[in-house]
Structures are given as C-alpha cells and as structure tokens.
Amino acid sequence: MNVHSQGDPYVDLKAGLASGNGAAFVCAGLSVDAGLPSWYSLIAELATRAQIDVAPEQWVTGEALVDAAQAYINKRGLHSLIAYVKEQFDTIGIAPTEAHRALARLPIGTVFTTNIDNLLELAYREAGMRVRVVVRDQEIPFAGADSDCVTIVKLRGNLDQPDTLVLARQQFDELYLQRPQMFKLLETELGRRDMLYLGMSQADPYFNRIVGEVMSQLGPFMRTGYALLCEATEARRLELARSHIQIVEFGADGDCSQRMAAWLNELAPLEPARPAPVIPPPVSQYVLNSGHSWAVLVGINDYHDPNIPNLRAAVGDVVALGQVLSGHYDAVRVLTDATLGREPTRANILAELASLAQVAAADDLILLHFSGHGVEEHGESFLVPSDARLPALSDTAIGMAHIRTVMERSPARAKVIILDACHAGAAIGSGRDAGTMTVDFIRRVFEQAEGMAVLASCKQGQKSWERTDTGHGVFSEFLLEALGGRADFDQKGFVTVSDASRYVTDGVRRWSVENGAPQTPTLQYTVAGDIVLIRL
C-alpha cells in the first residue's frame, strides 16, 4: 500500500505529522509480533492453572479477561500474578519489531500505550532518541519537549515498577481515580492531534476500556484517527468508525508486521518536524568507560562452615575470567580458595572492592564478579563469603546494600556486577529448593544495586548449571567467549555490557533447550549509556 498515491487518503495525517500534530497509541499486538504473549494467551494460561473458565478467543470479551485476572488474584494472590507476568514479558533476547522501529522514526513526540514491556523504549533509543517514561501523574511535568526526546505514557504501568501495574478488575476500578492527570493528557491529545493506533485487537480489554472512556467525553469533536490492522471484522469497522477512526488494513496473510512497517516508513511528513535525524555522538561520549578498568573477581568452592555446601566450578570460572581480563584491565584482583593471603573472606572482598573504588576516576569502570552462594535474609540479598556462618548470615555475609554503598563512594560512572550465585544442587539451609534463584533474592539484588548494571546467571525459579565436559558453569562458559571477542557483533573493537548480555543469553538459552535444563541470564540496566566491559 503506497501512501503517496494520487487521491492520497492520508494527506491530512501527513500534514499533521509535518506540523508536529501527530501522536501514537500502541496496544499489545505490536509486542505480540516481537514474540511476547497476547493478553488472551496469558490470561487463559493463568485461568487454566487456577481452574477458572475462560471462553475461546474468538468469543471472549475484553471485560471477561479483566474479570479472569481478578479471579486469579482472588485465588492465588496479586504477587503470584505479577511474578508470572514479569516472567512472561521479560524482553531479554527479544528485539523491537520493524514496526516499532518505523514508528520511532516518525516525528511523534508523545506515545500512549497499554503495554507494560520496554520494547518501545528500546526502539526509540536505537533511533537515537531520549526517552521520558510517564507512569504516574507526578511525572507529567518532567515529560520531554525537545525534538530529540519522546514521551511514552504507560497507562497501565511499567513492568519494572510492579506497584504501578494495572492487570485486573480492582486495579481498573481505581485507575481513573489514581491517575486523573494522565487521562486528562490523553483526552487533550486525542482532541488536538492526529492519532495513529497500532497493535489493536478485538479482545484487548485495556484499549477498549481506557480509550473508550476518554472518547466518550469528546464525542463528535474527536479528530480522525488511523488504526493499523492486519484484518478487521465488520463489527470492528463500525465500532471504530463511530470513534472517528479510519482503518488501514494490511491483510492477515504473510507478515503483516513487515507490511505495516513499510507503510509507516512511507509515511514521510511533507516537511520534517525534526530538523534532521539525531546523529549519535562519538562512541566515547555515549559509551561509558573511556578510562581505566578495575576488577574484583571472587570465586568460592570451599566454605568454612560445614553447613554451607561446597561448590565445584566457581574457582575455575573466576580463574579463567581473570586470565581473559588480564592485559585488558589495569588491575584484576582475584580472590579464590587457592589465592593464599587473598582468600575470599568477607573482610578481604570488601577491602579489595573499597581500594579499587578509591582509585577509580570518573571515566573508569569498576567490575565485581561473584561466583558462589547467594541468599536472601530479612528483606536483603547477601553474597556469601568463604568465612560466613549459617546461624548469623546477616552479620557474616555481605549485603548488596553494603556493596552498593562501597561502589557509590567511587566517582566512576561505569559500575558492573556479575552474579553467578545460584548453583544447581547446592542449597543453603533447609526448606529451600536446591540452588534455585528465589524471587526475593534477585528482586532485592536489582533494587539494592540501582544505578549499576547487574548481569545475573539465571532468572527467578531457575538454577545455574555446570557443564560436565569443560568443568565450567554454563553461564561462565559463554561469558568467557563473549569477553574473548565473540560478542563484538559489529567489529567495533570492544564488547559492551549489552553485547555480552545478548551473547551469553542466546548461548545459555540454546544450551538449555538442548539439555532440558532451564536457565536464562537476566540483565538490569539502570544507567544512561552502554558500558564497555573489555577492549579487544
């Protein structure tokens, strides 16, 4: 479909984009094309687990899905629902679609969405745009207004902020009271901008309820909107027509997402609303760690306390990592059972980390790699040093909050923590699944390491497995390959945190499928810009 044909039905839309009067509303269908679940498949699975009846997809209504989610909460609890949703919408290893990327190239300053994943943010950052995310009324004053900035208004909250998520009936009933200014903003934008709707579906409870409420306030004064659909039923056509939304249909056969992206790419404004594409600055300006690199590597096989199980591969993993980093880092401090005088005790680990934090400058990198036991106690995550004592873990282990305090004292802007801390077959204490990464442990690690990049060897509910053929952990095996240069995908001469995470995650996932042992590395990134882990 060519939008530049004679008698162009989209001339008003293009003119609106050219004058800066365009906006977008993105629904779940766009993320489904990237590989994330649809809301029907997600809720249907939860309903099956909780023995709740849900109609077949072709008959189900959006309101029924909202009620089913509430019924699940009533039976299993909100925490269970959020934990499952966070797992299913994890975007590690998932890239934005071409339609995401095409949208990010349009001169649109505000995007509303009912999605809770981060694919929109990833697409705009790929396009060189700064992103401001709004999930609460109080964040509206900080929305971006510059030509190189986009504001993404997440009406149902953000996956990284569980307290903002809107998933079920009770949360919906409170939504308009809790976020009135966000909906006032949506009403204003619907009344004054040409709106593009992407990823809509008949059974999307969130679009129908949220947008339908706002549209009813505007009535006949609604500006014309444009809904990009693969196909539409006659009932859907009539419903959208009543809302002053014109359908752009691409057909359900073949790759609808690709055709939608091509259409968006052709939707060039008559005059550019942005003076020119944002040209990324030189690598040294947007990639952190242009100075020196400092590392503390900890590997523990043998624990002093007989009640703490020993490990097999931790020391070998760390020694091999030290060999990879040596010659590339200014200092690599290796603490293992075999390093006499530098054993991985609590005092030694903290002393080495503090000494490097003191010498590091603003442009430097500090890396902490820990391979050993990790545990959650009394609301905090702890790394377990060799001299920890099980009856007094909170006093003899190293809290993540303490590690954060030590690292924050350094002016270095690039701080990375790599954790391989939940080893298969090795549990601490009684009543815990053997070596499994608990929900509380990984959640609190991420919370207590805010402002740093944290790469963990597995997700919640999983274990970190070892390879019998090499003697290394699976995670460490692929990490060593990544830092050895295999993760330098575009031959730029260095490997970043994002590069390493992508390579390690893909490799571990392949191994997991081949060996029937679930393990998916997890990255949390709360710093601006990517971080160089190693220069080749």
Side-chain angles (χ1 to χ4, degrees):
M1 180 182 300
N2 191 327
V3 302
H4 298 292
S5 58
Q6 288 186 340
D8 188 349
Y10 310 110
V11 64
D12 290 339
L13 173 61
K14 289 189 290 181
L17 289 171
S19 61
N21 281 325
F25 198 111
V26 176
C27 303
L30 217 60
S31 294
V32 170
D33 290 337
L36 294 179
S38 68
W39 282 105
Y40 178 83
S41 64
L42 183 93
I43 300 300
E45 172 61 25
L46 290 172
T48 299
R49 294 185 180 192
Q51 298 181 324
I52 300 167
D53 292 331
V54 173
E57 186 170 8
Q58 63 269 31
W59 298 332
V60 76
T61 64
E63 293 295 310
L65 294 181
V66 174
D67 288 335
Q70 185 63 53
Y72 182 89
I73 291 175
N74 296 343
K75 283 193 171 187
R76 299 288 183 86
L78 179 60
H79 178 274
S80 177
L81 176 62
I82 289 178
Y84 181 73
V85 169
K86 285 175 72 70
E87 177 183 350
Q88 294 299 307
F89 284 88
D90 186 345
T91 56
I92 293 292
I94 295 179
T97 66
E98 288 306 310
H100 281 99
R101 295 185 173 108
L103 173 64
R105 288 190 284 268
L106 290 178
I108 287 176
T110 303
V111 178
F112 296 89
T113 182
T114 56
N115 293 349
I116 60 175
D117 59 75
N118 66 344
L119 293 180
L120 277 170
E121 294 95 305
L122 292 176
Y124 275 98
R125 289 183 178 122
E126 281 184 11
M129 297 286 289
R130 293 183 295 118
V131 178
R132 296 286 182 269
V133 176
V134 172
V135 294
R136 295 182 174 92
D137 282 0
Q138 298 91 326
E139 294 167 334
I140 292 176
F142 302 100
D146 299 329
S147 61
D148 65 340
C149 182
V150 64
T151 296
I152 300 177
V153 183
K154 306 188 88 163
L155 297 165
R156 292 184 44 243
N158 199 342
L159 194 62
D160 293 333
Q161 298 169 270
D163 61 310
T164 67
L165 293 177
V166 177
L167 303 169
R169 174 67 59 196
Q170 183 176 347
Q171 296 161 323
F172 261 113
D173 290 343
E174 299 170 352
L175 181 59
Y176 298 96
L177 295 175
Q178 292 180 347
R179 303 172 195 175
Q181 297 307 315
M182 290 174 63
F183 289 96
K184 187 65 177 177
L185 177 62
L186 174 60
E187 181 180 342
T188 300
E189 297 300 274
L190 284 171
R192 71 190 187 107
R193 298 200 187 277
D194 298 298
M195 190 73 70
L196 276 172
Y197 299 92
L198 295 85
M200 297 168 58
S201 71
Q202 180 69 33
D204 187 336
Y206 311 109
F207 175 83
N208 295 339
R209 181 154 185 172
I210 290 174
V211 178
E213 179 76 17
V214 175
M215 286 178 173
S216 67
Q217 303 295 321
L218 295 172
F221 302 105
M222 280 279 298
R223 288 177 69 119
T224 299
Y226 302 83
L228 279 58
L229 302 175
C230 293
E231 60 179 343
T233 63
E234 188 59 31
R236 188 61 161 166
R237 292 175 186 277
L238 291 173
E239 177 186 357
L240 293 177
R242 286 194 295 269
S243 300
H244 304 276
I245 297 178
Q246 180 178 336
I247 294 177
V248 184
E249 196 168 356
F250 298 93
D253 57 313
D255 194 337
C256 174
S257 179
Q258 289 289 344
R259 291 198 295 275
M260 187 181 300
W263 188 88
L264 288 169
N265 284 329
E266 289 186 39
L267 196 61
L270 298 175
E271 297 178 3
R274 295 174 187 147
V278 177
I279 301 174
V283 166
S284 62
Q285 294 183 37
Y286 70 92
V287 176
L288 300 178
N289 179 20
S290 59
H292 300 286
S293 299
W294 317 90
V296 176
L297 312 180
V298 181
I300 308 169
N301 282 350
D302 300 325
Y303 283 87
H304 301 177
D305 188 335
N307 296 307
I308 301 177
N310 291 331
L311 302 175
R312 293 177 297 180
V315 170
D317 289 346
V318 165
V319 170
L321 179 60
Q323 293 170 348
V324 170
L325 298 183
S326 295
H328 300 276
Y329 275 49
D330 295 87
V332 178
R333 307 283 174 80
V334 178
L335 286 74
T336 74
D337 312 333
T339 51
L340 295 178
R342 197 179 283 174
E343 293 85 0
T345 63
R346 184 179 191 275
N348 285 345
I349 294 170
L350 289 174
E352 295 290 356
L353 186 60
S355 67
L356 293 187
Q358 289 173 3
V359 301
D363 292 330
D364 293 357
L365 162 71
I366 300 175
L367 167 66
L368 170 63
H369 180 286
F370 182 89
S371 184
H373 281 299
V375 68
E376 187 272 334
E377 290 281 352
H378 308 302
E380 185 174 0
S381 291
F382 292 89
L383 305 183
V384 183
S386 62
D387 60 342
R389 293 292 183 263
L390 186 59
L393 274 177
S394 58
D395 295 321
T396 58
I398 306 173
M400 286 301 302
H402 193 163
I403 290 173
R404 177 183 177 182
T405 299
V406 172
M407 296 182 76
E408 280 186 338
R409 290 173 184 158
S410 172
R413 291 192 297 268
K415 298 170 181 131
V416 179
I417 299 175
I418 301 177
L419 296 180
D420 193 0
C422 296
H423 298 265
I428 296 180
S430 60
R432 291 186 176 93
D433 190 14
T436 297
M437 175 81 78
T438 68
V439 173
D440 287 337
F441 176 79
I442 190 61
R443 175 171 60 83
R444 291 196 168 97
V445 164
F446 286 160
E447 288 174 353
Q448 292 157 356
E450 184 180 358
M452 307 175 194
V454 181
L455 179 60
S457 60
C458 59
K459 290 169 44 173
Q460 61 192 46
Q462 297 181 342
K463 305 171 183 179
S464 191
W465 298 92
E466 295 177 356
R467 293 184 61 155
T468 56
D469 54 343
T470 66
H472 286 303
V474 175
F475 172 79
S476 292
E477 187 81 17
F478 288 104
L479 179 64
L480 293 170
E481 291 181 2
L483 298 181
R486 293 193 182 182
D488 183 13
F489 299 104
D490 46 7
Q491 305 300 308
K492 55 189 177 294
F494 57 83
V495 174
T496 68
V497 169
S498 297
D499 294 333
S501 175
R502 173 183 166 191
Y503 182 89
V504 173
T505 299
D506 289 346
V508 172
R509 278 179 168 168
R510 287 195 305 271
W511 183 92
S512 298
V513 171
E514 293 168 359
N515 293 272
Q519 181 177 346
T520 304
T522 305
L523 173 67
Q524 173 173 282
Y525 216 112
T526 58
V527 295
D530 209 345
I531 296 175
V532 174
L533 272 179
I534 190 169
R535 288 181 172 80
L536 304 173

